[in-house]
Amino acid sequence: MTVADSKFFAQGNVYVPHIAVIEKIVEETPGVRTYHFNFKDERLRKEFIFESGQFGQYSVLGTGEATFCISSSPTRPDHLEFTVQKVGKVTNALNRLGVGAEIGFRGPYGNSFPLDFLKGKNLVFVGGGIGLAPLRSLIWNIIDNRDIYNKVDIVYGARTPADLCFKYDLEAWDKDKTVNMVTTVDREAEGWKGKIGVVPKILEEVAPPAKDTAAIVCGPPIMIRFTFPVLEKLGFKAEQMLTTLEKKMKCGIGKCGRCNIGNLYVCRDGPVFSYAQIKDFVSSEY
Ligand SMILES: Cc1cc2nc3c(=O)[nH]c(=O)nc-3n(C[C@H](O)[C@H](O)[C@H](O)COP(=O)(O)OP(=O)(O)OC[C@H]3O[C@@H](n4cnc5c(N)ncnc54)[C@H](O)[C@@H]3O)c2cc1C
Ligand code: FES
């Protein structure tokens, strides 16, 4: 189901959200939660499809809408997940909801990670903080189709051990013999056994070979800004580096012009872009 599938618009109107129910809430870090949800409409529960990298417009009824990626994998379709950092009006309202509460959902919107391009390649995931949310959808997607991808490296970091999201996934990927999982925190911390140092520095140490490899990067703007030069130093070309951008959105479907960067709309042309597409904006905006 995509934005073009008008038969799936709630009440035939693209701006009317589908009603969904929160089934589970996972406290990831102080201020970050993952919500498991399902649609109320039985047909939608069965027929809804999306791709890793896509996002939705989620609403807290009576408060407003906000944009979040779908952080679960389409290969595990029994429910959907999104992960939220509490920063303002809608995210605080979401934080007050409990299991059983109803939310609105419009989507899935945007493009997705180019699986055809990634097929057969080595993959390097580079994530920071809550930036692991969209990568996580793709990582599980790849693990569930492991034979069609080559080597997988994951370099993920946060400021402190308490700020690491998806600790249960990090543990699972660490145990997975087909994945090289490297976790780091910015500064030494009591009991911490992983790497110490910011993500771009640790990526340079891991030094994945650029040949036949794609790098998929998502994290805070400062991490993204310092990661691309490291990848370039390692021999990656701009076309081999992918990221997913965040920009304040309103419609989510290319109508309102709110989310442009240069001549691109993040909602319609993205949110997944190659570095080649966005390198002129990264230094000024990211
Ligand atoms: C494609 C896409 C995917 C996203 N995925 C996630 C996700 O998985 N998890 C998550 O927690 N957040 C995600 N975001 C960011 C999220 O949309 C905002 O944090 C959210 O809209 C804030 O809503 P609010 O009403 O709580 O904040 P507001 O009250 O509207 O704003 C609070 C503060 O946050 C800033 N802000 C609001 N929206 C954004 C934005 N999009 N980018 C940067 N700053 C913003 C405002 O300028 C303000 O300073 C995504 C954004 C996009 C565009
Ligand atoms: S959010 Fe309206 S055009 Fe992108």
Side-chain angles (χ1 to χ4, degrees):
M1 180 178 141
T2 70
V3 67
D5 293 324
S6 56
K7 69 180 169 159
F8 284 108
F9 294 166
Q11 299 164 31
N13 181 335
V14 67
Y15 294 108
V16 176
H18 294 288
I19 302 300
V21 179
I22 297 174
E23 294 183 333
K24 182 176 166 183
I25 298 173
V26 181
E27 301 284 346
E28 300 287 353
T29 72
V32 177
R33 282 174 151 193
T34 295
Y35 298 83
H36 296 214
F37 71 99
N38 239 320
F39 296 106
K40 272 189 103 170
D41 180 339
E42 178 84 16
R43 182 181 66 119
L44 205 53
R45 273 212 292 275
K46 286 198 194 113
E47 296 183 16
F48 182 86
I49 52 167
F50 72 98
E51 290 165 21
S52 293
Q54 288 192 294
F55 64 90
Q57 292 291 86
Y58 300 74
S59 43
V60 177
L61 308 175
T63 301
E65 271 191 331
T67 315
F68 308 108
C69 71
I70 303 174
S71 62
S72 49
S73 169
T75 50
R76 300 175 177 208
D78 59 312
H79 68 274
L80 295 152
E81 295 175 29
F82 66 108
T83 303
V84 178
Q85 182 152 36
K86 207 168 45 146
V87 293
K89 195 172 90 166
V90 176
T91 50
N92 272 289
L94 267 168
N95 201 63
R96 290 191 286 273
L97 299 182
V99 170
E102 291 188 354
I103 54 168
F105 176 92
R106 297 194 285 122
Y109 294 150
N111 66 357
S112 54
F113 291 108
L115 295 183
D116 284 345
F117 171 73
L118 301 178
K119 221 175 264 177
K121 289 194 171 58
N122 305 310
L123 304 176
V124 182
F125 291 91
V126 186
I130 195 178
L132 190 58
L135 302 186
R136 169 191 193 241
S137 173
L138 181 60
I139 292 169
W140 280 120
N141 195 335
I142 276 153
I143 288 176
D144 290 341
N145 293 284
R146 195 62 191 88
D147 294 353
I148 55 177
Y149 302 94
N150 213 333
K151 201 168 163 275
V152 173
D153 289 296
I154 304 171
V155 180
Y156 173 63
R159 274 180 307 166
T160 70
D163 294 314
L164 293 165
C165 293
F166 309 110
K167 293 184 185 73
Y168 41 97
D169 287 341
L170 303 179
E171 221 171 276
W173 300 334
D174 195 39
K175 283 191 190 133
D176 186 330
K177 299 270 182 292
T178 73
V179 170
N180 174 35
M181 175 78 230
V182 179
T183 312
T184 184
V185 294
D186 288 1
R187 284 174 296 279
E188 270 185 58
E190 213 185 310
W192 176 249
K193 294 194 177 64
K195 297 268 185 190
I196 295 163
V198 293
V199 167
K201 176 177 161 264
I202 302 301
L203 174 67
E204 199 165 357
E205 278 176 29
V206 173
K211 192 174 180 313
D212 300 325
T213 305
I216 306 113
V217 181
C218 189
I222 186 143
M223 187 210 88
I224 295 185
R225 193 161 356 117
F226 285 101
T227 294
F228 286 135
V230 169
L231 289 168
E232 279 177 324
K233 205 164 137 191
L234 292 169
F236 282 76
K237 296 197 170 55
E239 294 74 20
Q240 289 171 269
M241 308 179 209
L242 304 174
T243 190
T244 164
L245 295 186
E246 290 191 3
K247 192 84 185 163
K248 187 105 180 140
M249 291 186 180
K250 194 167 165 115
C251 69
I253 52 172
K255 301 279 187 208
C256 72
R258 180 71 72 96
C259 66
N260 77 299
I261 95 164
N263 59 355
L264 300 167
Y265 283 170
V266 173
C267 71
R268 186 195 58 197
D269 305 312
V272 177
F273 295 97
S274 71
Y275 184 48
Q277 287 174 287
I278 56 155
K279 69 194 295 191
D280 291 342
F281 315 113
V282 168
S283 51
S284 59
E285 301 211 21
Y286 282 83

